[in-house]
């Protein structure tokens, strides 16, 4: 036991919790952590259990960041980190650092499943070593890396219960597999060119054009010549193309029916990324981590070789590094960045089977680079970014799922079916909540089939028997309908309640908490569409404040046409005279007949549900500024409003008036009037956007002051906005509050299933 710095002021401390799975026992890992903490004068503990190593350290934030980076860069030579998840929590006042006694009873080794893990350095060296028997072999892996969740068919995790069961190991691979001294000891996907999966290149009709190494070289040639390759990867197909060619990227968008959403990129190495984007140390760590997600990085100013259509009007690029040997070989052969977007038509799940790809990717991919290792479950690429100095997962899939979120107390045996958009499923097993991979929007029949597979797969895999099912309170959601058909007691959970309880569960918060849940839409309990909510969680869960409501002309159509939200804001403020405002460009975006129809609808309240959605408020302001009037995908206008900020720095803020009564109503009318005045005065959209964002944050702080509780939780899709979240955190901390936000679970609807489990745990009888 050591006592390196008892004198750390409590108010400067934070607590970092780190959970590591991998080869971290019997290799001197705990003494290494002890020394690492001592060098940085941190307090806390480390211990082993059946599943890996858990660490908690307390100290100043800069030392914690250094400690986190040091785990991976300074670890013992024989240690291998399969997965590392970190979480910043409130300090508990440790007075020393100790190596705690190993907990042999904690968890179940048999029930623990690792996510798919990026290729380790040892395997990568072998792949590029001409003297190695796995030279250029695209399915090289070992105990420290490779496929896991995407190939498991059942437990225990043994080769016959994986999709590798059909490949019989050769004598040399069998020797490695059975040798405890070998790093391939019990590596279930272990294989080599003599006994493992193989590549083939197919044409659009499924005819074999080339095999093995020749298949890869032909695919590289096709990309160089401007072709689009459907490439079977770890958890499904990528559509791969030259990211530098505007013509090719436009063609890919046209074929995929993905008109505007940004496309993911894969770069050969970190050096190329750093030449074109700003890469902070934590971002570099995330790119090179075992999770290897798509990381949102800010572009550097100046000329970029990336085609403009990759991310139109977006100052960020979504970039990942190669994470399988096949990706490494492909990028090494190309030497330039590629588009690596999911292999599907928009709004459908990613394609996983090569024979299915002949149909689903027909007319999109020119050729298919396939292999014969089956994929048991689809696995999209995860998406993350660094916000407020922490990792923020925006889409949780490959590399993260199905690692559990651990609760302080056991939850009831419940399965939660998530939301309608950005769907995933969660399963409670004791104190662990296993959150499935990203499923997506339940808008198409293929997406619904994928959802039903995941909902059945998770309890089967963990041999769990749920006694109830939690779902969104919206009665018409496909997930809610599926819940009612399962024959179990149904626990409906209001959407924004789930958001707030999700961030509370992730941050291990106890009541009381004031939670802000700001997003696009959720089924309200008063006949309106909610989305700008403040909830007090203090035993009971009470809606204590919300944004003033306004109409959504055309209902859901307004989510894809921001000008409709702008028209509604104007109508609420000016009444009938709003239609005579010929000075406003947003009104001229409508045709005369369409405007007359909308006017009649709003007068009569026909198909004009009322909402207090913060997301639709963002849309309306963006349309007023001319940043986005017709949209294209939900959230695009809000993104445009955020991007308009640029590098503007100002504390100027528009007024949002706080009403009286319960719940409090936050009136945005003064803000709308001020926006119109500034537009007339010729102020730039960037200045107006900054004042709008700052006004929202000041209002949030004002509402927090009104209720006076120290713990403030921030959740919902609006808090994906980097400026909004970072400024809210800074202002709340300045005023003496303790803000909490998401880290490992998405703030968008990808966090709903966890919140539904948390609600069930609170209400279970």
């Amino acid at each position: 036991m050591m006592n390196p710095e008892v004198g750390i002021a409590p108010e400067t401390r934070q607590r970092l919790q780190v959970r590591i799975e991998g080869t971290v026992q019997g290799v001197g890992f705990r003494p290494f952590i002890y020394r690492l903490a001592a060098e940085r004068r941190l307090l806390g503990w480390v211990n082993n259990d059946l599943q890996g190593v858990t660490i908690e350290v307390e100290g100043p934030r800069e030392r914690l960041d250094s400690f986190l980076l040091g785990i991976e860069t300074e670890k013992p030579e024989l240690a291998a980190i399969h997965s590392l998840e970190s979480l910043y929590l409130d300090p508990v006042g440790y007075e020393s650092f100790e190596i705690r006694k190993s907990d042999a009873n904690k968890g179940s080794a048999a029930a623990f499943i690792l996510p798919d893990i990026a290729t380790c350095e040892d395997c990568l060296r072998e792949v590029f070593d001409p003297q190695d028997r796995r030279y250029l072999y695209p399915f090289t892996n070992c105990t420290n890396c490779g496929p896991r969740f995407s190939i498991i068919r059942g437990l225990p995790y043994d080769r016959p219960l994986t999709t590798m069961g059909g490949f019989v190991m050769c004598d040399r691979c069998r020797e490695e597999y059975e040798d405890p001294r070998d790093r391939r000891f019990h590596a279930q996907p272990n294989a080599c060119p003599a006994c493992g999966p193989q590549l083939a290149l197919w044409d659009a009709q499924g005819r074999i054009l080339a095999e093995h190494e020749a298949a890869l070289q032909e695919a590289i040639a096709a990309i160089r010549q401007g072709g689009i390759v459907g490439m079977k990867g770890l958890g499904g197909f990528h559509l791969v193309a030259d990211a530098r060619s505007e013509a090719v990227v436009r063609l890919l968008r046209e074929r995929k029916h993905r008109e505007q959403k940004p496309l993911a990129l894969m770069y050969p190495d970190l050096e190329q990324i750093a030449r074109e984007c700003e890469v902070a140390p934590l971002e570099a760590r995330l790119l090179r981590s075992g999770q290897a997600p798509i990381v949102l990085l800010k572009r550097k100013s100046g000329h970029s070789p990336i085609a403009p259509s990759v991310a139109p009007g977006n100052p960020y690029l979504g970039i990942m590094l190669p994470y399988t040997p096949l990706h490494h070989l492909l990028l090494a052969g190309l030497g330039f960045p590629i588009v690596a977007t999911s292999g599907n038509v928009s709004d459908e799940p990613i394609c996983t089977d090569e024979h299915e790809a002949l149909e689903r990717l027909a007319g999109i991919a020119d050729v298919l680079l396939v292999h014969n290792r089956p994929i048991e479950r689809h696995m999209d690429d995860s998406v993350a970014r660094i916000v407020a100095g922490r990792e923020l997962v925006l889409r949780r899939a490959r590399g993260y799922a199905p690692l559990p979120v651990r609760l302080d107390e056991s939850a009831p045996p419940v399965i939660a079916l998530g939301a309608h958009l950005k769907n995933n499923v969660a399963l409670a097993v004791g104190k662990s909540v296993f959150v499935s991979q990203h499923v997506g929007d339940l808008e198409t029949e293929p997406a619904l089939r994928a959802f039903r597979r995941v909902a059945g797969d998770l309890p089967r895999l963990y041999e769990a028997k749920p006694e109830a099912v939690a779902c969104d309170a919206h009665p018409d959601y496909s997930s809610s309908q599926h819940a009612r058909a399962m024959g179990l007691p149904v626990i409906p959970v209001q959407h924004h309640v789930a958001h707030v309880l999700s961030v509370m569960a992730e941050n291990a918060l106890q009541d009381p908490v004031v939670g802000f849940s700001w997003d696009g839409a959720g089924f309200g309990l008063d006949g309106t569409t909610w989305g700008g909510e403040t909830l007090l969680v203090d035993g009971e869960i009470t809606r204590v404040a919300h944004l003033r409501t306004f109409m959504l002309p055309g209902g859901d159509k307004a989510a894809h046409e921001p000008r409709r939200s702008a028209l509604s804001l104007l109508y609420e403020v000016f009444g009938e005279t709003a239609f005579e405002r010929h000075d406003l460009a947003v009104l001229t975006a409508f045709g005369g007949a369409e405007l007359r129809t909308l006017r009649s609808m709003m007068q009569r309240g026909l198909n004009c549900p009322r909402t207090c959605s913060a997301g639709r408020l963002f849309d309306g302001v963006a349309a007023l500024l001319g940043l986005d009037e017709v949209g294209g995908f939900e959230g695009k206008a809000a993104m445009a409003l955020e991007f308009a900020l640029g590098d503007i720095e100002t504390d100027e803020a528009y007024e949002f008036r706080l009403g009286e009564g319960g719940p409090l109503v936050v009136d945005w009318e003064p803000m709308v009037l001020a926006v119109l005045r500034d537009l007339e005065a010729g102020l730039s959209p960037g200045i107006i956007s900054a004042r709008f964002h700052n006004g929202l944050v000041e209002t949030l702080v004002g509402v927090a002051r009104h209720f006076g509780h120290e713990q403030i939780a921030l959740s919902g899709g609006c808090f994906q906005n980097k400026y909004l979240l970072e400024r809210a955190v800074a202002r709340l901390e300045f005023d003496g509050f303790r803000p909490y936000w998401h880290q490992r679970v998405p703030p968008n609807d990808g966090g709903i299933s966890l919140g539904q489990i948390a609600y069930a745990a609170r209400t279970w009888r």
Side-chain angles (χ1 to χ4, degrees):
M1 181 181 296
M2 69 172 183
N3 188 1
E5 191 169 327
V6 176
I8 298 175
E11 64 272 12
T12 69
R13 282 190 188 182
Q14 292 188 44
R15 174 167 54 121
L16 174 65
Q17 182 186 88
V18 183
R19 179 69 198 172
I20 301 173
E21 279 81 29
T23 308
V24 288
Q25 297 182 18
V27 294
F29 201 81
R30 287 181 300 164
F32 156 67
I33 291 296
Y34 184 98
R35 291 192 299 272
L36 197 67
E39 290 167 1
R40 288 154 177 81
R41 305 192 306 283
L42 298 173
L43 314 173
W45 53 268
V46 58
N47 82 331
N48 287 341
D49 58 42
L50 288 176
Q51 299 169 355
V53 168
T54 302
I55 307 159
E56 289 201 0
V57 284
E58 289 185 359
R61 178 55 187 272
E62 62 273 11
R63 294 187 207 164
L64 296 179
D65 288 344
S66 172
F67 176 85
L68 184 61
L69 292 170
I71 290 176
E72 294 177 282
T73 59
E74 302 174 31
K75 64 181 174 59
E77 183 177 352
L78 296 179
I81 295 174
H82 295 174
S83 67
L84 183 155
E85 286 201 312
S86 60
L87 190 65
Y88 288 90
L89 301 168
D90 286 341
V92 294
Y94 296 125
E95 296 183 352
S96 63
F97 190 91
E98 60 180 329
I99 298 177
R100 290 186 174 178
K101 183 179 179 181
S102 299
D103 187 351
N105 299 314
K106 184 178 179 182
S108 168
F112 192 77
I113 300 170
L114 282 172
D116 299 280
I117 303 160
T119 307
C120 70
E121 292 297 323
D122 289 328
C123 284
L124 202 55
R125 277 193 293 270
E126 292 173 341
V127 169
F128 288 100
D129 180 1
Q131 305 305 314
D132 195 278
R133 72 188 187 96
R134 290 185 172 87
Y135 178 54
L136 302 183
Y137 184 56
F139 305 98
T140 300
N141 67 85
C142 69
T143 309
N144 305 327
C145 67
R148 298 290 190 274
F149 191 41
S150 62
I151 65 170
I152 292 173
R153 286 178 167 157
L155 293 176
Y157 176 47
D158 289 324
R159 192 178 181 104
L161 292 178
T162 73
T163 63
M164 287 294 294
F167 297 92
V168 179
M169 278 185 275
C170 66
D171 290 344
R172 295 183 69 180
C173 284
R174 174 62 63 180
E175 288 176 8
E176 295 169 337
Y177 181 84
E178 294 177 349
D179 185 354
R181 298 164 299 179
D182 197 286
R183 79 172 201 280
R184 291 191 167 91
F185 178 60
H186 281 198
Q188 305 306 334
N190 188 29
C192 75
C195 64
Q198 300 293 339
L199 285 179
L201 190 71
W202 292 1
D203 68 11
Q205 286 71 47
R207 294 186 292 258
I208 297 175
L209 301 176
E211 294 182 286
H212 310 306
E213 169 63 12
L216 177 62
Q217 294 307 316
E218 289 292 327
I220 289 171
I223 295 168
R224 286 187 176 278
Q225 293 163 15
I228 297 171
V229 175
M231 172 180 161
K232 185 180 179 183
L234 192 64
F237 274 79
H238 277 137
L239 290 168
V240 171
D242 187 346
R244 306 167 303 172
S245 171
E246 177 69 5
V248 169
V249 175
R250 284 182 177 272
L251 180 62
L252 174 58
R253 283 194 177 278
E254 179 183 334
R255 291 180 178 181
K256 186 177 162 69
H257 305 303
R258 183 170 179 149
E259 296 178 359
Q260 297 173 317
K261 283 186 178 180
L263 299 170
L265 299 175
M266 183 176 284
Y267 273 67
D269 52 55
L270 187 59
E271 289 69 30
Q272 281 198 46
I273 298 173
R275 285 200 293 269
E276 298 167 26
C277 295
E278 298 174 6
V279 185
L282 288 178
E283 291 168 330
R285 176 200 161 270
L286 193 52
L287 285 163
R288 292 183 297 209
S289 68
Q291 288 91 339
I294 298 168
V295 181
L296 301 188
L297 299 173
K298 191 171 184 181
R299 306 189 202 204
K300 290 180 178 178
S301 58
H303 174 73
S304 170
I306 299 301
S309 290
V310 165
N314 195 323
Y316 292 88
L317 292 174
I319 296 175
M320 57 185 153
L321 286 170
Y323 57 84
T324 70
L326 179 56
H327 290 115
H328 280 285
L329 290 166
L330 182 76
L331 271 294
L334 290 170
F336 55 77
I338 56 173
V339 171
T341 187
S342 55
N344 57 9
V345 175
S346 288
D347 298 326
E348 290 188 1
I350 189 171
C351 182
T352 59
D353 179 80
E354 54 269 30
H355 299 284
E356 179 189 20
L358 289 173
E359 177 182 346
R360 289 185 54 198
L361 301 184
I364 305 177
D366 298 309
V367 291
L368 298 176
L369 182 62
V370 303
H371 59 75
N372 58 340
R373 182 178 69 201
I375 297 172
E376 179 65 14
R377 56 185 56 78
H378 79 279
M379 199 67 56
D380 287 276
D381 295 313
S382 295
V383 182
R385 74 188 307 184
I386 299 298
V387 179
R390 300 180 184 178
E391 179 182 347
L392 177 66
V393 175
L394 302 176
R395 183 169 73 193
R396 183 179 169 94
R398 175 188 53 76
Y400 295 91
L403 290 175
V405 175
R406 289 178 171 81
L407 307 178
D408 287 338
E409 298 181 359
S410 292
V414 170
I415 186 169
L417 300 188
H420 184 70
L421 302 178
K422 299 178 176 64
N423 177 270
N424 58 20
V425 176
L427 177 71
V429 180
K431 292 184 178 182
S432 294
V433 179
F434 296 95
V435 182
S436 81
Q437 72 273 34
H438 170 82
V439 175
D441 299 349
L442 305 185
E443 300 279 4
T444 64
E445 183 54 38
L448 289 172
R449 287 197 297 269
F451 158 73
R452 289 189 285 266
R453 282 197 301 271
V454 172
D457 180 50
L458 212 57
R460 177 192 63 79
L461 197 56
Y462 288 97
E463 299 179 347
K465 294 183 178 179
E467 296 179 12
V469 53
C471 64
D472 197 280
H474 197 305
D476 298 330
Y477 280 176
S478 299
S479 53
S480 302
Q481 293 171 355
H482 185 76
R484 293 194 294 272
M486 289 178 65
L488 296 171
V490 177
I491 305 172
V493 186
Q494 200 282 322
H495 188 86
H496 301 93
V497 169
H499 267 310
V500 171
L501 293 184
S502 174
V503 74
M504 287 180 63
E506 187 181 356
N507 286 278
L509 300 184
Q510 301 297 319
D511 303 1
V513 171
V514 174
F516 290 85
S517 182
W518 290 359
D519 64 1
F523 182 76
L525 303 181
D526 61 354
T528 66
T529 299
W530 290 5
E533 314 309 313
T534 306
L535 305 176
L536 174 60
V537 183
D538 191 7
E540 300 294 324
I541 304 173
T542 309
R543 185 193 193 206
V544 292
H546 62 81
L547 293 173
R548 173 182 165 182
T549 65
F550 54 97
M551 288 189 283
L552 288 178
D556 289 343
K557 194 170 183 180
H560 302 283
E561 289 191 28
R563 61 185 182 177
R564 291 180 179 238
S565 292
L567 177 63
S568 180
L569 295 176
L570 295 172
Y571 186 74
E572 293 285 337
V573 174
F574 299 109
E576 290 295 317
T577 62
F579 295 96
E580 314 305 326
R581 294 290 300 264
H582 302 298
D583 58 317
L584 296 177
V586 69
L587 295 181
T588 64
F590 296 99
E594 183 182 17
L595 196 59
R596 287 192 294 273
T597 299
L598 290 172
R599 182 174 190 170
S600 176
M601 289 169 56
M602 296 171 77
Q603 288 171 334
R604 298 161 59 194
L606 181 64
N607 193 21
C608 290
R610 296 195 71 84
T611 187
C612 58
S613 164
R616 299 293 80 81
L617 185 65
F618 269 87
D619 286 355
V621 173
L624 286 174
L625 300 187
L627 297 173
D628 197 325
E629 295 169 345
V630 180
F633 59 89
E634 185 176 14
K636 178 172 176 285
M639 289 167 60
L641 194 60
E642 177 188 0
F643 299 156
L645 289 162
D647 296 322
I648 291 172
E649 294 184 12
T650 179
D651 292 327
E652 295 175 346
Y654 291 135
E655 176 190 1
F656 286 75
R657 191 164 47 230
L658 282 183
E660 298 294 334
L664 295 178
V665 176
V666 178
D667 189 358
W668 37 258
E669 182 170 328
M671 178 274 299
V672 170
L673 293 172
V675 166
L676 295 178
R677 285 195 300 271
D678 285 350
L679 272 175
E680 187 176 0
L683 266 68
S684 72
I687 292 291
I688 296 175
S689 176
R691 292 176 177 179
F692 169 72
H693 280 85
N694 295 347
L696 278 175
V697 169
E698 293 307 311
T699 301
L700 184 153
V701 174
V703 172
R705 284 197 209 105
H706 182 88
F707 294 104
H709 294 290
E710 189 178 12
Q711 298 184 124
I712 308 296
L714 307 173
S715 187
C718 290
F719 290 107
Q720 295 176 118
N721 181 316
K722 180 179 171 70
Y723 182 92
L724 181 72
L725 178 56
E726 290 185 336
R727 190 172 182 94
V729 167
R731 283 290 293 109
L732 286 165
E733 289 178 341
F734 182 82
D735 267 38
F737 295 101
R738 290 156 58 196
Y740 300 88
W741 62 98
H742 290 277
Q743 299 174 62
R744 298 175 297 163
V745 176
N748 56 47
D749 286 2
I752 288 292
S753 61
L754 173 61
Q756 291 169 346
I757 293 285
Y759 181 85
R762 294 178 71 96
T763 59
W764 182 260
R765 296 291 182 269

